[in-house]
Amino acid sequence: MGKFFTLQEADDLIPRLREWLQQAIEAKKEAVEVERELRSLSARINALGGVEIDPTSVAKRKLVRHQAVERLQGAARNIEESGALVKDLDTGLIDFPALLENEEVYLCWKLGEPRIEYWHHIQDGFAGRKRIADDFGQAGGLGKPN
């Protein structure tokens, strides 16, 4: 069985998650852009039956792509090791396994939100998010140790 978070534990992790998510998103964006450049070059070579290229420049771009992928993987690994679950990297959607009345649920946080304010049943996903205060009172019933 994996880690279950209290609301406080999950909220305390938000600053680090925000940093890791931003690193991952920036690295993914860079890797995708370099990949697009390399595919464009390849398509141009194929369309023209060959073109003269600067092998050093291509090798440098491939290295940049590789480094970006490594940064992305490192940030994702940090998030995973924290016990949080990346649900959507592009939007920065993170779930935290938690227990509510002995049922596993997810505390739900999205990049840009100041703190965790939502939860959902595992099968409901993001569309089924409910406000913590609405269901658990202002103190958040998920704050008790699991």
Side-chain angles (χ1 to χ4, degrees), residues 3-9 97-102 140-146:
K3 175 178 178 49
F4 291 112
F5 288 85
T6 65
L7 180 57
Q8 187 63 53
E9 289 170 336
L99 289 176
L100 175 63
E101 298 174 1
N102 294 319
L142 292 166
K144 299 176 194 155
N146 296 311

Short mmCIF file of all heavy atoms in Angstrom, two decimals, residues 3-9 97-102 140-146:
data_model
loop_
_atom_site.label_atom_id
_atom_site.label_comp_id
_atom_site.label_asym_id
_atom_site.label_seq_id
_atom_site.Cartn_x
_atom_site.Cartn_y
_atom_site.Cartn_z
N LYS A 3 1.60 5.55 0.13
CA LYS A 3 1.45 6.59 1.14
C LYS A 3 0.07 7.24 1.03
O LYS A 3 -0.43 7.49 -0.05
CB LYS A 3 2.52 7.66 0.92
CG LYS A 3 2.39 8.85 1.85
CD LYS A 3 3.50 9.84 1.63
CE LYS A 3 3.40 11.06 2.50
NZ LYS A 3 3.19 10.85 3.90
N PHE A 4 -0.52 7.51 2.19
CA PHE A 4 -1.73 8.30 2.26
C PHE A 4 -1.38 9.62 2.92
O PHE A 4 -0.69 9.67 3.94
CB PHE A 4 -2.83 7.59 3.06
CG PHE A 4 -3.37 6.38 2.36
CD1 PHE A 4 -3.13 5.11 2.86
CD2 PHE A 4 -4.12 6.51 1.21
CE1 PHE A 4 -3.62 3.99 2.21
CE2 PHE A 4 -4.61 5.40 0.55
CZ PHE A 4 -4.37 4.12 1.06
N PHE A 5 -1.86 10.71 2.34
CA PHE A 5 -1.57 12.05 2.84
C PHE A 5 -2.69 12.56 3.71
O PHE A 5 -3.87 12.29 3.45
CB PHE A 5 -1.43 13.03 1.66
CG PHE A 5 -0.19 12.87 0.85
CD1 PHE A 5 -0.13 11.95 -0.18
CD2 PHE A 5 0.93 13.65 1.10
CE1 PHE A 5 1.01 11.81 -0.95
CE2 PHE A 5 2.08 13.52 0.35
CZ PHE A 5 2.12 12.59 -0.68
N THR A 6 -2.33 13.35 4.71
CA THR A 6 -3.31 14.20 5.36
C THR A 6 -3.38 15.47 4.52
O THR A 6 -2.49 15.73 3.70
CB THR A 6 -2.89 14.56 6.81
OG1 THR A 6 -1.70 15.35 6.75
CG2 THR A 6 -2.67 13.32 7.67
N LEU A 7 -4.41 16.25 4.73
CA LEU A 7 -4.53 17.51 4.00
C LEU A 7 -3.33 18.40 4.28
O LEU A 7 -2.75 19.00 3.36
CB LEU A 7 -5.83 18.22 4.38
CG LEU A 7 -6.09 19.56 3.71
CD1 LEU A 7 -6.08 19.43 2.19
CD2 LEU A 7 -7.42 20.14 4.19
N GLN A 8 -2.88 18.46 5.53
CA GLN A 8 -1.74 19.30 5.89
C GLN A 8 -0.46 18.82 5.21
O GLN A 8 0.32 19.61 4.69
CB GLN A 8 -1.54 19.33 7.41
CG GLN A 8 -0.48 20.31 7.85
CD GLN A 8 -0.83 21.74 7.51
OE1 GLN A 8 -1.91 22.21 7.85
NE2 GLN A 8 0.06 22.44 6.82
N GLU A 9 -0.23 17.50 5.20
CA GLU A 9 0.97 16.96 4.55
C GLU A 9 0.99 17.30 3.06
O GLU A 9 2.02 17.70 2.52
CB GLU A 9 1.03 15.43 4.71
CG GLU A 9 1.34 14.97 6.11
CD GLU A 9 1.16 13.48 6.29
OE1 GLU A 9 0.39 12.84 5.54
OE2 GLU A 9 1.79 12.94 7.21
N PRO A 97 -3.08 10.58 -2.76
CA PRO A 97 -3.91 9.56 -2.12
C PRO A 97 -4.17 9.93 -0.66
O PRO A 97 -3.27 10.37 0.05
CB PRO A 97 -3.06 8.29 -2.21
CG PRO A 97 -2.09 8.56 -3.32
CD PRO A 97 -1.83 10.04 -3.28
N ALA A 98 -5.42 9.77 -0.23
CA ALA A 98 -5.81 10.09 1.14
C ALA A 98 -6.91 9.12 1.55
O ALA A 98 -7.51 8.45 0.70
CB ALA A 98 -6.31 11.53 1.24
N LEU A 99 -7.17 9.04 2.83
CA LEU A 99 -8.26 8.21 3.34
C LEU A 99 -9.35 9.11 3.90
O LEU A 99 -9.08 10.04 4.65
CB LEU A 99 -7.77 7.26 4.42
CG LEU A 99 -6.88 6.11 3.97
CD1 LEU A 99 -6.40 5.32 5.17
CD2 LEU A 99 -7.60 5.21 2.98
N LEU A 100 -10.57 8.79 3.54
CA LEU A 100 -11.74 9.48 4.07
C LEU A 100 -12.71 8.40 4.52
O LEU A 100 -13.24 7.66 3.69
CB LEU A 100 -12.38 10.38 3.02
CG LEU A 100 -13.68 11.06 3.43
CD1 LEU A 100 -13.44 12.01 4.60
CD2 LEU A 100 -14.29 11.80 2.26
N GLU A 101 -12.91 8.30 5.83
CA GLU A 101 -13.78 7.27 6.39
C GLU A 101 -13.42 5.89 5.84
O GLU A 101 -14.26 5.14 5.37
CB GLU A 101 -15.24 7.62 6.12
CG GLU A 101 -15.65 8.92 6.79
CD GLU A 101 -17.04 9.38 6.41
OE1 GLU A 101 -17.73 8.68 5.64
OE2 GLU A 101 -17.45 10.44 6.89
N ASN A 102 -12.12 5.59 5.86
CA ASN A 102 -11.55 4.31 5.41
C ASN A 102 -11.70 4.03 3.92
O ASN A 102 -11.52 2.91 3.48
CB ASN A 102 -12.10 3.14 6.23
CG ASN A 102 -11.66 3.20 7.67
OD1 ASN A 102 -10.51 3.54 7.94
ND2 ASN A 102 -12.55 2.92 8.59
N GLY A 140 -11.28 20.93 7.31
CA GLY A 140 -10.88 19.88 6.37
C GLY A 140 -10.73 18.55 7.10
O GLY A 140 -9.71 18.28 7.70
N GLY A 141 -11.74 17.73 7.07
CA GLY A 141 -11.75 16.45 7.77
C GLY A 141 -10.63 15.52 7.37
O GLY A 141 -10.40 14.52 8.01
N LEU A 142 -9.94 15.84 6.29
CA LEU A 142 -8.85 15.00 5.84
C LEU A 142 -7.55 15.34 6.55
O LEU A 142 -6.52 14.77 6.25
CB LEU A 142 -8.65 15.17 4.32
CG LEU A 142 -9.79 14.62 3.48
CD1 LEU A 142 -9.68 15.13 2.05
CD2 LEU A 142 -9.80 13.11 3.50
N GLY A 143 -7.60 16.25 7.51
CA GLY A 143 -6.38 16.64 8.20
C GLY A 143 -5.92 15.68 9.27
O GLY A 143 -4.84 15.80 9.79
N LYS A 144 -6.75 14.71 9.61
CA LYS A 144 -6.36 13.73 10.64
C LYS A 144 -5.36 12.74 10.07
O LYS A 144 -5.43 12.38 8.90
CB LYS A 144 -7.61 12.98 11.11
CG LYS A 144 -8.65 13.87 11.73
CD LYS A 144 -9.88 13.07 12.06
CE LYS A 144 -11.04 14.00 12.35
NZ LYS A 144 -12.31 13.34 12.10
N PRO A 145 -4.44 12.25 10.88
CA PRO A 145 -3.49 11.26 10.40
C PRO A 145 -4.20 10.00 9.92
O PRO A 145 -5.21 9.62 10.47
CB PRO A 145 -2.61 10.96 11.63
CG PRO A 145 -2.82 12.12 12.53
CD PRO A 145 -4.18 12.65 12.25
N ASN A 146 -3.62 9.39 8.90
CA ASN A 146 -4.19 8.15 8.34
C ASN A 146 -3.42 6.96 8.84
O ASN A 146 -2.27 6.95 8.96
CB ASN A 146 -4.13 8.20 6.82
CG ASN A 146 -4.99 9.30 6.27
OD1 ASN A 146 -6.15 9.42 6.67
ND2 ASN A 146 -4.45 10.12 5.41
#
